[in-house]
Amino acid sequence: MTFLEEWKQFSQARIGLKRSGGSISTKDMLKFRLDHARARDAVLLSPNFPSLLENLNVLGKEKKLPALFVESRVQSKEEYLLRPDLGRRLSQDSLGKLQKLGGEFDLVLIGVDGLSAKAIDDNLIPFLKILMEEMNQTSLRIGPLVLSKWGRVAIGDEIGEVLNAKISIVVIGERPGLSSADSLGVYITYKPQVGKTDESRNCISNIRPDGFVFESAAKKTKYLVKESMLRKLSGVELKDEMPPEFLLQSKDKNQIPDSH
């Protein structure tokens, strides 16, 4: 095994590409174009919201958690890409729906399409299933399961504030790269309210089968939530001191999370 072949086992990055003169090989060029098309599709297409909502209802049935579909103030995909501010706030209709379900909750779980329909379609339900199994081992009171269309991370602040949740957990489709179009990101915010900014959140990214695997990401999320509840804060003031032994190792690579 050559040095480059060994490196390729640990990364999906385009390293050691074959060349013919001044150009890369036809095979690598076609692979690049395919990955580029997948990344564009992930951004421009829409998730299957009816199917996702149905599966959320199944997930919440045991704990009698209602599943709710909401929308941001965005009116089109083009507007979503051009006006991030509108994606941070709920539409008036959605605001009214949530106000009817307000109570006192420790946390609320929110799925958001974000910038990858593929990530939400393929990975949201499998990840939430594992995450809820972890959360069910705690005594935390979980609020309604929320699914948001055309939302940004900060839409979780308004959702959490309206539902009166101590913590909001936003699971969102991340901006796709040329080697990964299906990554989820998790954003944890203590005392969510409109106007919170990104330094107030803890982030876990690259959640997907070929990245930071669901089981490890769920354990990391539970740890950060418990620490956030204990210390009554989140973001840059909440240091991640979780021992690395929780990471699931595979035969082919060490999977290392991107969290801060």
Side-chain angles (χ1 to χ4, degrees):
M1 182 182 295
T2 67
F3 177 73
L4 282 175
E5 287 173 340
E6 185 177 355
W7 270 50
K8 287 181 179 182
Q9 293 183 89
F10 298 93
S11 175
Q12 293 180 307
R14 298 173 199 281
I15 56 177
L17 300 182
K18 294 181 180 179
R19 306 188 70 85
S20 178
S23 304
I24 64 174
S25 69
T26 301
K27 179 180 178 181
D28 288 329
M29 175 56 75
L30 292 175
K31 179 66 166 56
F32 174 86
R33 290 180 176 176
L34 175 60
D35 287 342
H36 184 259
R38 285 172 173 165
R40 284 177 57 86
D41 284 347
V43 173
L44 298 177
L45 295 180
S46 180
N48 186 343
F49 287 112
S51 176
L52 290 167
L53 189 60
E54 182 179 346
N55 282 305
L56 279 181
N57 272 304
V58 173
L59 275 181
K61 188 175 182 180
E62 182 180 346
K63 292 289 184 179
K64 297 181 180 179
L65 303 176
L68 187 68
F69 177 72
V70 300
E71 296 179 279
S72 71
R73 296 182 181 180
V74 172
Q75 299 297 314
S76 68
K77 175 64 78 168
E78 181 179 11
E79 187 175 57
Y80 175 76
L81 296 173
L82 294 174
R83 293 288 305 275
D85 57 312
L86 296 179
R88 299 182 185 118
R89 299 299 302 274
L90 290 164
S91 68
Q92 285 301 313
D93 286 346
S94 296
L95 186 59
K97 289 181 187 178
L98 283 174
Q99 286 172 337
K100 296 176 182 178
L101 297 174
E104 288 191 21
F105 305 107
D106 291 316
L107 64 91
V108 58
L109 294 170
I110 306 158
V112 184
D113 50 359
L115 289 170
S116 178
K118 181 173 177 58
I120 296 301
D121 277 336
D122 293 356
N123 296 330
L124 177 64
I125 300 302
F127 173 64
L128 283 182
K129 182 177 180 180
I130 295 171
L131 179 59
M132 287 186 66
E133 288 174 356
E134 290 287 341
M135 292 303 174
N136 286 340
Q137 297 173 18
T138 71
S139 59
L140 297 175
R141 298 166 297 173
I142 303 176
L145 304 178
V146 182
L147 180 64
S148 172
K149 179 181 180 181
W150 288 333
R152 299 282 178 169
V153 170
I155 201 169
D157 296 335
E158 187 168 19
I159 293 172
E161 183 176 13
V162 171
L163 291 176
N164 195 23
K166 293 179 180 177
I167 291 177
S168 67
I169 301 179
V170 172
V171 184
I172 191 169
E174 293 188 315
R175 178 179 59 83
L178 289 175
S179 60
S180 59
D182 61 343
S183 291
L184 294 172
V186 166
Y187 291 82
I188 301 163
T189 308
Y190 183 76
K191 283 195 175 179
Q193 58 188 26
V194 174
K196 286 264 185 174
T197 48
D198 286 343
E199 88 282 351
S200 302
R201 319 184 199 285
N202 291 87
C203 171
I204 308 169
S205 64
N206 195 33
I207 301 171
R208 57 193 179 97
D210 291 327
F212 192 20
V213 296
F214 300 151
E215 293 82 0
S216 293
K219 290 181 184 299
K220 174 64 73 176
T221 302
K222 182 174 76 169
Y223 164 81
L224 289 172
V225 166
K226 291 176 71 174
E227 289 296 301
S228 182
M229 289 289 290
L230 178 66
R231 305 186 189 191
K232 300 185 180 347
L233 50 83
S234 61
V236 295
E237 294 183 333
L238 179 60
K239 303 305 179 184
D240 183 354
E241 299 173 338
M242 188 177 187
E245 288 76 13
F246 79 99
L247 288 172
L248 300 179
Q249 304 294 328
S250 72
K251 293 181 180 179
D252 298 324
K253 62 184 179 181
N254 296 326
Q255 292 157 326
I256 302 175
D258 177 7
S259 81
H260 55 274

